[in-house]
Each structure stands twice: as C-alpha cells, then as structure tokens.
Amino acid sequence: MNFDYSETHKMVAASAKEFAEQYIRPHVMDWDESQEFPIGVFKKAGEMGFMGVLVPEIYGGSGLGYHEYIAIIEEIAKVDPSIGLSVAAHNSLCTNHILSFGNEEQKQRWIPKLATAEWLGAWGLTEHNTGSDAGGMNATAVKDGDDWVINGTKNFITHGKSGDIAVVIVRTGEKGDSHGMTAFAIEKGTPGFSSGKKENKLGMRASETAELVFDNCRIPDTNRLGAVGDGFIQSMKILDGGRISIGALSLGIAKGAYEAALKYSKERVQFGKPISEFQGISFKLADMATQIEAAELLLHKAAYEKNAGRKMTKLSAMSKMYASEICVQIANEAVQIHGGYGYTKDFPVEKFYRDAKLCTIGEGTTEIQKLVIARNILK
C-alpha cells in the first residue's frame, strides 16, 4: 500500500489551509460567541471548489476523490470545526444524495448550483422522537394525483434555515418498514415548507442547526429522488460516505487541539523548564500523536475503498467511531495540558473541547457505529 499523498492531494490540502487561515481564523471567536452563520465564507468556499468536492466537473464540481475530501475538511476543522461541519454536511449529505440517486434532469437542475455554493444544501432524516430510530419517523408524504403532500417536521438539520434546497426522507408506507420511506428534494420558498427553531448549541455554534417544517407542502413527483420506498436504503448508503466526512472533521479537531497543546507545552515554563519535558505531559502528547496517526490511517483506508467503489460500511463506521472518540479525548487532554488557561477563551482548546463532542453523536452515535460494526463482523 502506498502511503504517499499525491501531488493533487498536497495541493488541495495547502489550498484549504490557506483558505482557512485567510477567511476563517480572524472571525472564529466572533462567530462562535454570536452564533452567526457566515454564509459569505461558504460562497467563497464554493469559488475555491470546496462545496462540490466529489461532484464531477460536468456538473460544475471539482471532480476529486475522498482522500482530497478528507484533506479539505481536516484543514478547515483545524481552524474552526463548525465551518468544517457545514462544508461536510453540504457535500456529503444533500449534494451527494442528489448526485447518487437523482436522475439526469434532477442533477442538471440542482447539482451545479450546489457545487458552486450558489445554493446551500440541507438534508433531513432526524426527527424529534426518532434519532437513531429513523424508521419510526412521523413525517409523511401522501400521493395526490401527480403531486405529493408532505406533513411533519425534521429536527437538528444543518442549514435548516439558510438552506436553498433540502433533501428529506419521509414516510410513504408503514412505520418501521425499511422500504416505507422515500426521498424528496424540496426548494426553499415552496408553499408549506418553512424553518422552525434554531438550536442554541454547546459547540459548533457557527454551523446552523434548525427545524424543517412541512404543513401540507405540495411538491411534484418530479422532485422524488429514486423509487418510492427507497429513501431509507438510500440514506444508509449516503451515511457510509458521510461518516468519512465526520471522521475527517474529528481528525481536524484532534490535530488542531494537539498542535495547540504541543506548542503551549514547549512555551509554558514551570520549575525552571518547559512542561513538555515533564514525563506526565510528554506521555500525554505521545498518546495524542499515536491516536491521530491511527485515526488518519483508518480514515484513508475507508476512503480508498470508497474511491474504488467497494462496500465499506464497516470501515466507515470504524473510522467515524474511532476518530470521533479520540478527538474528544485529545481535546480533553489539550485543555488539561493548558491548565487554567485551557479553560479560558484566550486559547483555542476550549472551543475544540466544546466542538468535539458532536462528532460522537452526529451522523450516527458511537453506539450505533458499534451496532453497525458488530452486525458486519458477525454476518
């Protein structure tokens, strides 16, 4: 196996790093404090090709693979994980769902706008009472002539207010039936489609999270993605790739927190020497560095399989689970290494600490990842 990054990979990573330093870092704490969702920075990301990373060039995308995608999310997350989260959700959920399961007319209609960030995308599976139990959803779509009438709500949706288009999975059959759900694309401004409450969150505060509300929302059958009843199956396939993106987000957080802790440990002097020279601190740094290497290898193995078009459900679950868990541990240790200063907003680690926790919850909790892994190894 070749562990060298390609020249394209290196160039893309450098471009993403420069973008994050120039357009994100100066505003990180302002956006976090105010919970501002900075749409302008995503428009700029679209100009750079970061909002259509996996989209073929014929649809206005960058035509890159999952190794480069990981690099982009990672570099942005090292500066501000909340921006990395929004870039990841736009790429791997909404855009990728239409790209993977839309027909040619749907792709031509929506993908170029998403790939350039002319439009921002949302993706709705979760509801108030159905988190991990997506099959128990209450939102429904009922066929009425050539139209569908949708009623219900979706919860914890990234870009729930600002998204220009949402891919939503709603029930068209019996509750609990894995073939009883269907995916639809719904444009902002459609009568009966609105946004509800925006969440006030612990972390990832510059990434907008809100409700989607459907009140007799009527859409044509031409907005249906794939066959009736295939929505849940499609979603599970989309989440396989989405878990790589959350793993990349986790890796960026872990690296950002580790690099901050390493720098601080070399500068902070106690008892006449840098604290990095004390075994208690150096062993923490050794553990952190090793965990990052392991997470990175696992993620790129999953990316390799995804690029090759092979089934990688188990690997994507493993990489997401491991990377998200170690990023929480590393952020915690980074705060500990900083001591009292780590608890203040003058240093970046307190934000990594707050942002990290979402990674063990979003796009499938750690417990769900273990369930997916167990089912695959026990087949």
Side-chain angles (χ1 to χ4, degrees), residues 198-254:
K198 179 180 175 179
E199 302 296 340
N200 185 8
K201 299 177 297 183
L202 168 72
M204 301 289 192
R205 289 166 61 83
S207 179
E208 177 187 276
T209 306
E211 288 178 319
L212 299 178
V213 180
F214 303 95
D215 181 10
N216 290 319
C217 176
R218 181 177 290 269
I219 58 169
D221 188 57
T222 51
N223 283 37
R224 172 172 48 84
L225 297 169
V228 173
D230 279 358
F232 183 76
I233 308 303
Q234 292 173 8
S235 298
M236 294 304 102
K237 292 177 180 177
I238 291 300
L239 286 172
D240 276 351
R243 285 165 182 158
I244 292 178
S245 68
I246 298 299
L249 182 67
S250 303
L251 182 64
I253 294 172

Side-chain angles (χ1 to χ4, degrees), residues 261-262 264-283 285 337:
L262 182 65
Y264 181 83
S265 73
K266 292 177 177 179
E267 296 171 350
R268 173 70 166 169
V269 174
Q270 292 284 271
F271 305 102
K273 60 183 178 181
I275 62 171
S276 59
E277 295 184 18
F278 291 98
Q279 191 178 76
I281 301 298
S282 66
F283 278 16
L285 293 167
I337 288 170

Side-chain angles (χ1 to χ4, degrees), residues 25 27-28 59 69 79 129 135 143 168 183 200 217 276 303 336 358 363:
R25 191 178 293 282
H27 312 288
V28 170
Y59 299 117
Y69 181 47
V79 175
N129 297 313
K143 192 81 186 296
V168 296
N200 185 8
C217 176
S276 59
Q336 193 71 15
L358 179 70
E363 294 195 33

Side-chain angles (χ1 to χ4, degrees), residues 52-66:
V53 182
L54 305 167
V55 174
E57 293 179 24
I58 58 169
Y59 299 117
S62 298
L64 299 170
Y66 272 82

